[in-house]
Amino acid sequence: MAVNTSAEAPIPVGEVSRLIGGWIDRLGAVWVEGQITQLSRRPGAGVVFLTLRDPSYDISVSVTCFRQVFDKIADVVSEGARVVVHAKPEWYAPRGQLSLRAAEIRPVGVGELLARLEQLKKSLAAEGLFAAERKKPLPFLPQLIGLVCGRASAAERDVLENARLRWPAVRFEVRNVPVQGVHAVPRVIEAVRELDALPEVDVIVVARGGGSVEDLLPFSDEQLVRAVAEMRTPVVSAIGHEPDTPLLDLVADLRASTPTDAAKKVVPDVGEELARIRQLRERALRAVGGYLDREERGLAAALSRPSMRDPHRMVEERDEQVTALVERGRRTFRHLLDRADSELEHTLARVVALSPKATLERGYAVLQKPDGTAVRAPEEVGPEEELRARVAEGEFRVRVHGTPGAGTAGAVIPPA
């Protein structure tokens, strides 16, 4: 219910406290889970004071209970334990303080923790936070490694020493944080986000030594898992020992069984790399040597061939063949010419024998009209017609006398 106030009509502090108390009294009892960070049991006092903290959100609230309520779990609960409290919110008006009055306190057992973690694991897996395709590859040789670990812890020493033994020039950006307890989750989240914001950091390693299930709970916190899933820098989880599997192992880009294993997986071994370079160099030399040997053998085989050993021999052989072919062609051509000459002589003899000139040489003559046509019958000429007579040694003109066909006579006309 809103209260009408103003600078001219304020209400006293006591009234404000009373109103707040009234509103809080309307709340019923609730079950609350948290981690005990402070525990005060004064001898002879009938009330026990506790501070209950939410490690995920760094929020605390005071809890009070009667001694007989706490005595039921006093043997199994101490500072750092996770408990479930059934309590009613109370407002202490004189000091303006909120607290919880506990009517029942139950310790959270390992079985309950594991069951809750399994449920959280399934929920986050369903969102795809553990999918393989989300994981980023680690650089071969990181120039700067971010390390989140406890101060002066064995995990820090294992990572630094083993990494520098493998690659002496490796550099680290270390963030020391609490790795268990109520302050672990927010400090680890702050550290990884701070390292992720540095562009020169190539990979982030979150390391912690072994411990109980309760000690490793901060690394299964939902807020931390989601924060790591949002990192742009590859994250390596090196929490506990081989059997320990906090949820951070599943969301990280690479899981290392121990901090020492993380150093081996993040940084290459300089000795191994030098040996690998030597092996590759030897392998390359063998490959090049083998290639040269094969080429030399091929060249020697090519040079050993007759055509390469005596290159003029083929030309000489071909020269002899060409000479023989030329002679054969000449003989064939001469034979053809001789046969053609013989045939031409025979043909010429036949032509000469059948030619009109040969007939004329035997004493015959050919009479031709002025237009050059030969006279074949007496009827073809008329009286007094001039004709040309061709004989073997020349020609002369004649004139027809009398009637053709009836003892026609001719007179020779001297050449003009």
Side-chain angles (χ1 to χ4, degrees), residues 257-313:
S257 57
T258 61
T260 300
D261 184 50
K264 294 180 179 179
K265 290 183 175 180
V266 172
V267 181
D269 185 87
V270 64
E272 294 177 359
E273 296 305 318
L274 289 175
R276 185 176 291 109
I277 291 173
R278 285 194 297 270
Q279 293 173 359
L280 291 174
R281 183 181 297 167
E282 293 171 359
R283 182 179 175 183
L285 289 174
R286 288 195 300 270
V288 173
Y291 176 77
L292 292 176
D293 291 341
R294 287 194 303 271
E295 294 301 315
E296 287 180 355
R297 289 194 297 270
L299 182 59
L303 292 174
S304 65
R305 294 177 181 175
S307 59
M308 297 297 293
R309 187 174 60 252
D310 188 7
H312 299 286
R313 180 178 177 181

Side-chain angles (χ1 to χ4, degrees), residues 379-400:
E379 293 80 7
E380 295 179 357
V381 299
E384 301 301 323
E385 184 177 357
E386 288 187 2
L387 301 175
R388 186 171 54 185
R390 295 191 62 180
V391 295
E393 298 298 330
E395 63 179 27
F396 56 89
R397 289 181 293 173
V398 297
R399 180 178 293 145
V400 179

Side-chain angles (χ1 to χ4, degrees), residues 320-393:
E320 294 175 358
Q321 293 178 3
V322 170
T323 302
L325 291 173
V326 169
E327 292 297 330
R328 181 181 175 183
R330 287 176 177 174
R331 286 194 302 271
T332 302
F333 189 64
R334 282 196 298 269
H335 177 69
L336 293 175
L337 289 177
D338 293 342
R339 188 170 64 182
D341 183 64
S342 177
E343 291 178 355
L344 182 61
E345 288 179 356
H346 288 108
T347 302
L348 180 61
R350 287 195 300 272
V351 170
V352 170
L354 296 176
S355 68
K357 187 175 185 300
T359 303
L360 294 177
E361 287 178 350
R362 290 197 298 269
Y364 293 92
V366 177
L367 295 178
Q368 292 178 318
K369 290 185 176 185
D371 58 1
T373 58
V375 178
R376 292 180 176 80
E379 293 80 7
E380 295 179 357
V381 299
E384 301 301 323
E385 184 177 357
E386 288 187 2
L387 301 175
R388 186 171 54 185
R390 295 191 62 180
V391 295
E393 298 298 330

Side-chain angles (χ1 to χ4, degrees), residues 5 43 98 128-129 141 157 227 250 262 325 339 403 414:
T5 61
L98 175 67
L129 266 64
L141 180 59
R157 184 177 62 254
L250 303 178
L325 291 173
R339 188 170 64 182
T403 302

Side-chain angles (χ1 to χ4, degrees), residues 12-275:
V13 173
E15 181 64 15
V16 173
S17 181
R18 185 187 67 78
L19 291 174
I20 294 174
W23 293 330
I24 291 176
D25 286 340
R26 297 174 189 175
L27 299 176
V30 293
W31 286 96
V32 182
E33 180 185 357
Q35 189 173 19
I36 299 176
T37 59
Q38 290 182 350
L39 175 60
S40 177
R41 298 175 61 189
R42 297 176 183 175
V47 177
V48 177
F49 297 91
L50 308 132
T51 299
L52 204 60
R53 187 182 186 88
D54 186 340
S56 298
Y57 294 96
D58 198 13
I59 297 176
S60 300
V61 65
S62 298
V63 180
T64 60
C65 66
F66 292 111
R67 193 177 192 89
Q68 56 268 29
V69 173
F70 186 81
D71 287 345
K72 295 178 182 179
I73 47 92
D75 296 336
V76 294
V77 168
S78 60
E79 289 187 359
R82 297 179 75 93
V83 294
V84 175
V85 177
H86 188 238
K88 186 179 184 306
E90 289 185 346
W91 179 256
Y92 186 59
R95 292 186 182 177
Q97 242 178 1
L98 175 67
S99 64
L100 298 176
R101 171 70 67 172
E104 183 179 357
I105 301 176
R106 296 181 184 179
V108 178
V110 174
E112 294 178 77
L113 290 175
L114 294 177
R116 294 181 186 178
L117 288 180
E118 187 64 26
Q119 184 178 2
L120 178 60
K121 175 181 174 182
K122 292 180 180 179
S123 175
L124 296 176
E127 295 182 28
L129 266 64
F130 304 151
E133 55 269 17
R134 289 176 56 92
K135 299 188 182 300
K136 298 174 285 294
L138 269 63
F140 168 71
L141 180 59
Q143 300 299 312
L144 182 63
I145 301 174
L147 176 60
V148 180
C149 59
R151 185 180 301 277
S153 61
E156 179 182 5
R157 184 177 62 254
D158 291 344
V159 173
L160 295 180
E161 290 182 357
N162 284 280
R164 285 166 179 161
L165 284 175
R166 293 173 63 84
W167 198 274
V170 68
R171 297 184 298 121
F172 281 90
E173 185 74 21
V174 182
R175 294 293 183 271
N176 294 122
V177 297
V179 292
Q180 69 181 60
V182 294
H183 300 287
V185 173
R187 294 292 301 278
V188 172
I189 293 176
E190 179 185 355
V192 295
R193 285 178 174 169
E194 182 180 342
L195 292 173
D196 185 59
L198 298 177
E200 60 271 19
V201 174
D202 297 321
V203 63
I204 299 173
V205 178
V206 182
R208 186 202 190 283
S212 64
V213 175
E214 294 88 345
D215 293 338
L216 300 182
L217 277 179
F219 299 96
S220 293
D221 186 86
E222 181 178 0
Q223 300 303 317
L224 177 58
V225 171
R226 293 187 181 278
V228 170
E230 297 171 357
M231 299 288 105
R232 64 162 186 85
T233 309
V235 176
V236 177
S237 174
I239 306 301
H241 300 299
E242 181 66 34
D244 299 323
T245 54
L247 298 185
L248 182 63
D249 286 353
L250 303 178
V251 74
D253 299 292
L254 180 66
R255 175 188 180 269
S257 57
T258 61
T260 300
D261 184 50
K264 294 180 179 179
K265 290 183 175 180
V266 172
V267 181
D269 185 87
V270 64
E272 294 177 359
E273 296 305 318
L274 289 175

